[in-house]
Amino acid sequence: MGVLSNMIDRENLKLGDHIYSWRQAYIYAHHGIYVGCGMVVHFTRGAGQEIGTGTVLDNFLLSSSPTHSIDTPCPICADQTRTDGVLCSCLDCFLSGGNLYIFEYGVSPAFFLAKARGGTCTLAPSDPVEDVLHRSSFLLENGFGGYNVFKNNCEDFAIYCKTGLLVSTNISVGRSGQLASYVSAASTVVSTTLRFMTTSFSGLALVSVGMYCVGRLVSDIGVRRDVLKVPVERLTATPGLDISERTTEMAKED
């Protein structure tokens, strides 16, 4: 893979690969784990609930669930349009007409920063394939808690399957790189506005780029200090709590 694109051909996919496909004119990407035989395990909300706020905001983004309707169901997956949680879908349904990309693990800081768009790579190394497949299979059977666009979304799910890492605090965003890039961009815009009257344009641009890069880097799962390696079996030990609450409790116990 290169700096410009993470696009990959289907024939080059390997078991346990973290893959994704861009949605809504590249506004956001949907992520999952390739488990072989043309199938992908992924975490999603039902149609009209992608943001998961329970408000009208949920209608602004299309669901990442497969788009086949009840009238023309996929011969492999049937109709999963209204289904949410952890699903197993064929590659065509997962992509929903989009291109196929692979998420990269164990990249260098320089490579990470060169990929200006978040949600494409991480400094964290991937665990062995057997561990990745075990987590995805276990979560397909037992669930991954409630979907939350800020702390427990499809990218968070895929990163956990690959690394076993969960955020141990409930005061920050989850492991999602694409969300971290949006937060960094928003913070940069606010800070840049405040500095606009006190610096030159070139200085302002340099500071803005630096702030954005630093914000993305410190939010990456590979460098954060508020993460915990959690065996997948422990996630079902306290079913009354969501993922962030369970991980916080585990951190206190450990």
Side-chain angles (χ1 to χ4, degrees):
M1 297 299 102
V3 172
L4 296 180
S5 176
N6 284 16
M7 192 179 296
I8 186 174
D9 294 327
R10 296 187 183 203
E11 54 267 27
N12 293 327
L13 281 176
K14 299 181 178 65
L15 283 173
D17 276 349
H18 174 172
I19 59 176
Y20 63 96
S21 180
W22 291 104
R23 300 284 203 268
Q24 293 289 84
Y26 293 90
I27 295 175
Y28 73 107
H30 186 51
H31 297 248
I33 300 295
Y34 182 69
V35 294
C37 299
M39 303 301 291
V40 183
V41 174
H42 57 119
F43 184 47
T44 186
R45 296 282 298 193
Q49 299 179 348
E50 181 67 34
I51 298 178
T53 62
T55 70
V56 70
L57 293 175
D58 293 335
N59 295 318
F60 288 138
L61 289 177
L62 294 177
S63 172
S64 294
S65 297
T67 55
H68 290 284
S69 69
I70 191 172
D71 298 323
T72 58
C74 172
I76 299 174
C77 307
D79 176 30
Q80 295 181 322
T81 306
R82 296 285 172 179
T83 308
D84 58 11
V86 182
L87 309 180
C88 187
S89 306
C90 71
L91 193 54
D92 286 332
C93 285
F94 173 80
L95 294 175
S96 293
N99 292 319
L100 174 64
Y101 299 84
I102 187 168
F103 192 101
E104 297 186 75
Y105 285 81
V107 304
S108 68
F111 185 92
F112 179 86
L113 293 176
K115 302 284 286 188
R117 187 70 182 267
T120 60
C121 61
T122 177
L123 277 69
S126 171
D127 285 337
V129 173
E130 55 268 25
D131 293 340
V132 178
L133 296 177
H134 171 65
R135 292 183 190 119
S136 62
S137 175
F138 185 92
L139 295 174
L140 180 61
E141 294 294 326
N142 297 277
F144 193 59
Y147 187 100
N148 184 300
V149 70
F150 298 108
K151 295 184 179 182
N152 204 48
N153 58 41
C154 61
E155 186 183 347
D156 294 325
F157 167 81
I159 289 176
Y160 173 72
C161 288
K162 291 287 286 186
T163 67
L165 298 175
L166 292 174
V167 176
S168 62
T169 60
N170 56 15
I171 59 174
S172 60
V173 298
R175 302 161 297 288
S176 172
Q178 57 183 330
L179 184 59
S181 68
Y182 292 142
V183 172
S184 297
S187 300
T188 299
V189 169
V190 173
S191 300
T192 299
T193 301
L194 296 177
R195 291 182 172 87
F196 184 74
M197 301 300 294
T198 60
T199 186
S200 66
F201 178 80
S202 58
L204 187 65
L206 184 61
V207 170
S208 299
V209 171
M211 289 181 62
Y212 174 73
C213 291
V214 169
R216 282 189 58 228
L217 184 61
V218 299
S219 298
D220 182 66
I221 192 71
V223 299
R224 290 175 65 157
R225 298 295 183 89
D226 60 341
V227 294
L228 189 67
K229 191 88 167 184
V230 180
V232 68
E233 291 79 8
R234 293 189 67 185
L235 294 182
T236 59
T238 51
L241 302 178
D242 64 25
I243 293 296
S244 61
E245 291 173 330
R246 293 177 202 176
T247 311
T248 302
E249 290 300 316
M250 293 175 196
K252 292 178 180 177
E253 293 172 3
D254 295 342

